[in-house]
Amino acid sequence: SGRMHYQLLRGGTTAAVAARRVRNILGSVLGRDGWMWRFHEVKLTPHPLLFAGDTVTIGEISYKLKTPQNPELVPLKYLSDSVPQTVAQHLRWIMQKDLLGQDVFLIGPPGPLRRSIAMQYLELTRREVEYVALSRDTTETDLKQRREIRSGTAFYIDQCAVRAATQGRVLVLEGLEKAERNVLPVLNNLLENREMQLEDGRFLMSAERYDKLLQEHTKEELDNWKIVRVSEDFRVIALGLPVPKYKGNPLDPPLRSRFQARDIYYLPFKDQLELLYSVGPNVAAERVSQLLSLATTLCSQESSSLGLPDFPVDNLVAALHVLNTFPMLSSQQLVQRLYPYKSILGKDGHTAVESVLSRFELLDGRRQAAPSNVLSVSSSSDREGHADVTVQAADKEVTFQVPAGSKEPRPPNSSLTFINTPSHSQLLAEMMQSHMVKDLCLIGAKGCGKSVIAREFAEMLGYSIEPVMLYQDMTARDLLQQRYTLPNGDTAWRPSPLVTAAMEGKLLILDGIHRVNLGTLAVLSRLLHDRELDLYDGTRLLRWDRYQALKEQVQFSDQQLQERSIFPIHPSFRVLALAEPPVVGAGSSSTSSSRGQQQWLGPELLTMFLYHSVSPLAKAEESGLIQGLVPGVPEEAAERLLHLTHSLRQTNDPTTQSLASSLSTRQLLRICRRLSQYPDESISHAVNKACLSRFLPSLARASLEKALSNCSIQDAADPAGQTRDHSCVVQDGVLTIGTVSAPIYNPDHKMKVPDVLFYDNPQHMTVMEDMLKDFLLGEHLLLVGNQGVGKNKIVDRFLHLLNRPREYLQLHRDTTVQTLTLQPSVRDGIITYEDSPLVKAVKHGHVLVIDEADKAPTNVTCILKTLVESGEMILADGRRIVSANRRANVIVMHPDFRMLVLANRPGFPFLGNDFFGALGDIFSCHAVDNPKPQAELAMLKQYGPDVPEATLQKLVGAFGELRSMADQGTITYPYSTREVVNIVKHLQKFPNEGLANVVRNVFDFDSYNKDARDVLIEALHKHGIPIGAKPTSVNLAKELPLPEVRMTGYWTLNQGGNARRKLLCPTETRPIDVKGPAFLRVQNYPSSRQESRTLSFSEEKAHWQIPMSEVNIICDVVSSDGTEHTLYVAMCNPVTLYSMKERGDKIQCMELYDVFPRTISGVWQPFVTVAPLGSPLDGQVVLHEEQVHIRNLNFTFYMTVCLQGGYKMCRDFSKKNWLLFYKEDGNQLEVLDVLEGRVHAISLPINLKAVFLVAEDRWLLLESNTNKKFLLTKPMHTAAEDSGVCQLHSIGEDPVSSGHGVIVPQMLSNEQLPNENLSAALEQKIVSPNRVLADTSCFAQIIVGFPDLMSPNEVYSFKRPVDLSAMKSSDSGSHAFYRGALRSGSAKRENCVSLLSANQVVRAIPPTKAPLRDIYPKDVTPPMAAAYLEVTDLTSKKLKYIPVPRSMTVSPYTNWLSKVSDCDVLLAALGSGGVVTVDMGGYVRLWETGLDALQRSLMEWRNMIGSEDGRPIQITIQRDSGLDVSAPKHGKIDASNAPHVGGNQWAGGTGGRDTAGLGGKGGPYRLDAGHKVYQVSQAEKDAVPEEVRRAAREMAEKAFKERLKEIDMSEYDASTYQRFSSAVRRQVQSLRIILDSLQAKGKERQWLKNQAMGELDDAKIIDGLTGEKTIYKRRGELDPELGSPQQKPKRLRVLADVSGSMYRFNGVDGRLERSMEAVCMVMEALENYEHKFKYDIVGHSGDSYDIELVPADKMPKNDKQRLKVLKVHTLNQFSCVKNL
């Protein structure tokens, strides 16, 4: 009979474990292998309907039964015919306690066993039960009394505890560890004394006392006193987990003392085994015992000390059912379903579990094939609500019955939207097996197809789906029942979708069980295990067979049972949970920001489901899937994409893993859909978009780029991209952006279409084009970007162009799921719901713009997922949004509905939640960035058409720099376009307010944070925004008068027929021999160009440092002409060439030491000259090294031309591509024509000293001994044969007065002064060829008529008081220090240039030769200068000396420079009005010397600062005073001329009406009677008086000394420490900013619900109507969940190198100092974060590897202790040095 019984049952609705266990015990009556009948000491009365007076005996203890009042409340079908011995003993114990009148607490591991035993006992003793599943949302009203409103009056309705007490029922409290701490003490008195005071004024009193009172008083009196008797049959059975081991709240000691406890552990091995044998008759006995042994091992103490969760022993019964049908199934796969150890455990856990598996010979996963696919599904003929499923397993086909839905099952593989892949069909087959016995849970990463598989599974079985999206702060009420009001104002309960699904037999999909708190899920455990549920309003849902049995037993109809609120759960009802894999090793603390970050899958949840993990698809499968779903995708692109994704998924590196998670299958499909529509789009663009690479940390971004290049997905540089027009056109109802077109929408709500001021710029147009592509593909869009980059503008403009109406929803910290969907409000006592913009948009098909999506908690925004994915969503008022209409009370989603979500980028300083991380892959993501400089400039021009472009460029530059700093994390606030636009708008409206003032509108936020302020000011100054400068701070050099110009002589060109004077010079031409080309590496360095005119205005325009090495010596600097001047700086030792644009941001460097061979040091010092070539060889230079070579250099390769000997080069006409070389004392000129590649050698009859090219065809030669001058004229084209020969003319010099020696020019210009400049210089109107010459004796000389006129040329000089060569460089200056006393020979560079258009001669002279006494007043010490620029201005006849600041660094090789130049700088002309200097430290400075240029710049600079003209601001209020203006008059003249203010009477007053005066109303003219007010300038007023400043300084010093005294530190020590501390101050600050942000995130407060004060909780409005107290919520610190590990400070270890070499080589590169600064930085940054970080610092050296500098328990608290650490640090190195 047992077997038959069993057959019957196996077909029955197989529900959750406990029920089955009990049921199956029936089946175990028949033993196995000749097991004998056993005698159980349980005597049961045969008849089910008991009469009073019957007794139940367990062992020797008997209990007298009573007839229950409400038989439908007695548990049914929990008892079985045979009860295992252990259970019988538990029941006997409970009976003892029951007879004693004590309350019991059954404690034990998770699982249904404890509940089952309690229910068996109650069934046995025929007691009515009141069952409560406690959750963290339970409040005392759920236990005592709840108010409901009936026809306008609030009633108290007794809840379970009170009902049980008064009716004499048994109260079963399940899950005591879930209830919040202060809820259960409500029951203390009821438990102890059976007394309780109720809210409605009644008082519960124990039976004995009541009966005593009843002897003295009548029942009516007691009723009037509202005293109620507690029945003597009232008992409490509590079920709970032991808390230190499991998660939850520990028992309150007073509560604990009121219970008697009993440990209910799993059934003993033998009982359990017997039970399992009976369940799986087809399974080999050995296998059963192996499985059980495994389970027992994994529940032992040892395994839990390894951190392994308990094995769900109770689920073995279900597992054996599956094995019974599929004996060929591998045990390992079965174990994986019960205990998915691969998902929940880390590596150690894996090995532990697998070793146990192999111990019990269960590691057979490899040997046996899994079921491969579902062959067919058909409705069962013999049983309703079931389906026959045939599954291919190994080589057999197995058919079995499973529960099925009400619709017709659909054969597998017939869906169009589901592409079957081998792994998925295997998964579905496995799910079918598990579905036979129990609820399932699918675990898989986001976007891997869980929901699709679930849907396919449901359709195959004909189920209707009920999706329930779970979110983090979901309460038990949200899960089961919510309150609402009926139209007449009565309160009622509405069952949740979960409950209706249970009653209608649907497949309930719980999406996201990893998000919900365990304390809330606990309310479902009884539904999942036993298929029973008690709801808040007293409704009970019973398992189908129990319901049927109840109907028979108490002979009620369905109608009658429903009146008593008892309903059946449909036999087909099943739950399918979806979850993301638990994060292995993550703590389960509540502080881990999103709840997804924790190990949610604990022992309790393991008992509720069978688990299946959705493994990521294999590459081939995924590619098949993509081809199937997106037929038109270009194959090669899809292939590369998959290659990339799989290479990312296979790494172990966590950063790459996180990248892979944003390339889920769902994202890949989206990318492919786009590619199929727009095949020419680049893959890398799509991948970068999906990963939002713009906002990734640099490390992750680098690894993404590496992965992209490994998969050869390069972003083809799109040269056309810059030129592509991104215009947007609207024509004939079609909108075209770039290349994409879309029809324009015809809205019914015109007023909701946004309209916005938008200036088109290419970058935003590209983003919009991209958005339009996705919009047309039907995607919902997510725009991520920093603040103020124009996200809202773009979206509004986008919708405006498309003509789509929008709904706008702004999220914030307090957004809840309710407020997203509906806004409840109370009218006349009835609750009504207002649709939120989301619901309106869904109804009307508008576009929903969700702004600041990252500010709302991610668990709230998660509900958008179901809306986007399946188009379904359940609202708080019971309506649901669906994509297609199926039934009443639904809102059908309009086909045009779209969501555009805007969010800030994840991470600091946006203290938002990671919206992208949680929901990124359901949206198509677009990163919105600040426009590129050009685009931004164009846009700003539209905002401020009248603002000078230079100003805009400075702004764009400065903000660009600040943004890159924000990206690198140097500053925390990302400055955006919004800020720049605001500045420009201000400048446009108030043009004469200075830029420097207006930028403060943005930067005053940072004015109190010193470090941030320094960084900002530095960046603004670098780009020349003079923030902080005063209009008066103009530091131009002092002007001295020039001596009068005098005519000092004539130059005569001897031309006569005399052949001796007119010498012919033969020329010969030869080709040059060229070697090469050779290729050189060019390095790019960033240029840190700083504008110099920041705090004050001077001649210096800008400066920057060349990244040279300290041995380099600068030999030459030159600038090329052209629109953008390029500077070339040549260095020797080793020879290096640097080139940089005047305004560029990078410096290119080429090392040429392989090209210029180094000879043995000291033999020669290479000396290089650079000549830039002109068109068509722009950008090429010739390098000439005096001793050996010349080189033609392009910036990639060079060619060599050899000329022997010490030649000098003249480069004046290098832009015409020819150069001239000569040897000192030689008699040959060599002309190199670079383009033709020839050398023309000209032989001369004289020995040369110097050559000056005064024109292309006229050269001035100096004879070597006599300094006699000759002019060589040469035919223009040397190549032409007939052109004749070069002629040499000697020049006679006739001084006007004697004593004027022969001029040795230092510089001779090769062009003439413009006529107006010449006239200005000579103070006479004159037009003539001329040249400017400079030598040591005069400031400048002008030779009029030279070199073109044959008549005598007049020489005009500006004489110097003292000849420069006569001045000795007195060694008193700073130079003696470097130079070494001997100067070797004359300098090789003259450092003198003429600026012809500015009419100036500029030369650099050493400070010793500058007339410092004239420049500086007596009491001022001159600044330390490397040199002075002597500017001789011939127009204004003024002389200026501009100091060139000393170099920051001094090279040890400086004395080499002394051969190059006689001062520490080299000089070259730059453009027409300026020069450039390079000092020996590699500092390049640009100077503006031309007067006009200076004037212009000064004006600009003053405009930028703003015209603070010193007038005090007046506030005038124009009052219309009602007195009309009578005819204007002059007014009386006051003879005494006293000042008058107001009064319509006196002339010369201020501010009256009708009379003449200043600032009145209606007077005829302005009249100032000379009341002079002396005004202090604004700057002086703002300044703080000196004595106050002094007092503040003294106070600070005093405090500092006090502090030193306190930590007894000497001032010397303090200054030593300061040295290290100040060097790293800024870094410490940045670190602290980062640590603070960590802090801020951790301390995010939560909503505490059920409070008695605070803000009204929407979810509790109805409770408020009924008059409850705890209907508020407030923000507060959430205590960590009990049982979760304590948050310990993070441990850091800093390792410092303290080996001797650190000390030894400190002199070379300062390594020891730097290491000490780093240690200092760590100590200072972590000060005051002791609770977050514990650190220790350990030294490591050659002697030992763990020299403790700072132990973890003694972190230094003040400067003295930190200095001590630094001292120990150095001492270690001393000791190591000794050992070296």
Side-chain angles (χ1 to χ4, degrees), residues 1005-1040:
F1005 282 114
D1006 305 295
S1007 53
Y1008 287 90
N1009 174 346
K1010 184 169 172 309
D1011 298 82
R1013 198 179 65 219
D1014 297 348
V1015 175
L1016 281 173
I1017 288 180
E1018 192 180 305
L1020 291 171
H1021 284 179
K1022 180 172 168 183
H1023 291 274
I1025 297 177
I1027 186 169
K1030 301 259 181 312
T1032 48
S1033 42
V1034 176
N1035 299 345
L1036 291 173
K1038 183 176 170 186
E1039 298 190 328
L1040 308 173

Side-chain angles (χ1 to χ4, degrees), residues 374-625:
V374 180
L375 297 174
S376 68
V377 181
S378 58
S379 297
S380 262
S381 47
D382 52 343
R383 290 182 60 196
E384 204 226 342
H386 277 66
D388 292 330
V389 177
T390 310
V391 166
Q392 172 89 39
D395 41 10
K396 294 202 194 120
E397 293 181 11
V398 182
T399 307
F400 54 101
Q401 277 188 343
V402 296
S406 47
K407 298 191 293 195
E408 193 48 41
R410 213 201 56 217
N413 303 340
S414 60
S415 155
L416 301 171
T417 52
F418 183 79
I419 304 287
N420 217 338
T421 64
S423 62
H424 282 171
S425 57
Q426 177 184 338
L427 177 67
L428 281 166
E430 291 177 359
M431 283 165 69
M432 286 293 176
Q433 291 177 344
S434 307
H435 175 65
M436 175 167 75
V437 288
K438 198 167 168 54
D439 299 318
L440 317 176
C441 173
L442 282 183
I443 302 184
K446 57 178 185 209
C448 71
K450 296 188 293 288
S451 320
V452 183
I453 290 171
R455 206 171 305 128
E456 174 70 6
F457 177 71
E459 286 182 355
M460 277 163 74
L461 291 172
Y463 270 112
S464 306
I465 294 185
E466 185 66 73
V468 174
M469 187 75 183
L470 305 179
Y471 47 91
Q472 185 181 354
D473 44 11
M474 195 165 206
T475 60
R477 278 193 186 179
D478 295 331
L479 272 176
L480 302 177
Q481 259 187 331
Q482 292 138 344
R483 295 185 101 159
Y484 71 115
T485 53
L486 299 171
N488 65 355
D490 291 359
T491 51
W493 289 85
R494 172 191 302 116
S496 72
L498 183 145
V499 175
T500 51
M503 288 158 74
E504 295 168 11
K506 297 184 175 176
L507 180 66
L508 174 70
I509 292 191
L510 292 177
D511 193 344
I513 57 170
H514 59 283
R515 281 189 219 104
V516 185
N517 192 298
L518 244 187
T520 305
L521 267 184
V523 292
L524 297 183
S525 68
R526 186 164 178 232
L527 175 69
L528 296 170
H529 290 312
D530 290 358
R531 288 285 184 264
E532 300 209 0
L533 200 54
D534 283 35
L535 302 178
Y536 293 107
D537 58 355
T539 307
R540 303 190 170 200
L541 302 183
L542 292 184
R543 197 172 80 200
W544 180 257
D545 56 336
R546 290 198 175 126
Y547 178 80
Q548 300 303 344
L550 179 68
K551 253 170 59 174
E552 280 169 34
Q553 195 173 332
V554 292
Q555 303 295 318
F556 282 168
S557 64
D558 285 348
Q559 184 65 37
Q560 288 168 304
L561 280 174
Q562 276 168 25
E563 282 162 15
R564 304 186 177 200
S565 6
I566 293 179
F567 296 92
I569 286 183
H570 195 287
S572 306
F573 169 65
R574 274 286 193 270
V575 183
L576 174 53
L578 309 179
E580 287 177 21
V583 175
V584 176
S588 54
S589 62
S590 56
T591 47
S592 48
S593 47
S594 59
R595 194 169 177 289
Q597 285 306 301
Q598 49 157 301
Q599 183 53 295
W600 53 270
L601 189 48
E604 258 178 285
L605 270 170
L606 282 173
T607 62
M608 297 185 191
F609 298 102
L610 289 180
Y611 292 88
H612 290 267
S613 48
V614 184
S615 50
L617 291 167
K619 193 164 156 186
E621 296 185 335
E622 201 158 18
S623 119
L625 181 72

Side-chain angles (χ1 to χ4, degrees), residues 1202-1238:
C1202 287
L1203 295 167
Q1204 295 307 317
Y1207 281 90
K1208 293 201 166 173
M1209 168 166 85
C1210 294
R1211 59 179 177 199
D1212 303 31
F1213 289 99
S1214 65
K1215 56 173 181 292
K1216 300 266 198 243
N1217 296 322
W1218 62 268
L1219 302 159
L1220 183 134
F1221 298 91
Y1222 65 93
K1223 271 191 188 174
E1224 258 185 86
D1225 297 338
N1227 56 3
Q1228 257 205 334
L1229 294 175
E1230 312 236 342
V1231 181
L1232 166 67
D1233 190 316
V1234 182
L1235 276 177
E1236 294 180 353
R1238 300 188 184 187

Side-chain angles (χ1 to χ4, degrees), residues 227 314 765 1203 1606:
I227 294 179
D314 303 294
M765 290 324 258
L1203 295 167
E1606 221 171 275

Side-chain angles (χ1 to χ4, degrees), residues 1158-1171:
R1158 307 260 307 271
T1159 50
I1160 302 123
S1161 69
V1163 177
W1164 60 283
Q1165 296 172 336
F1167 180 74
V1168 184
T1169 312
V1170 187

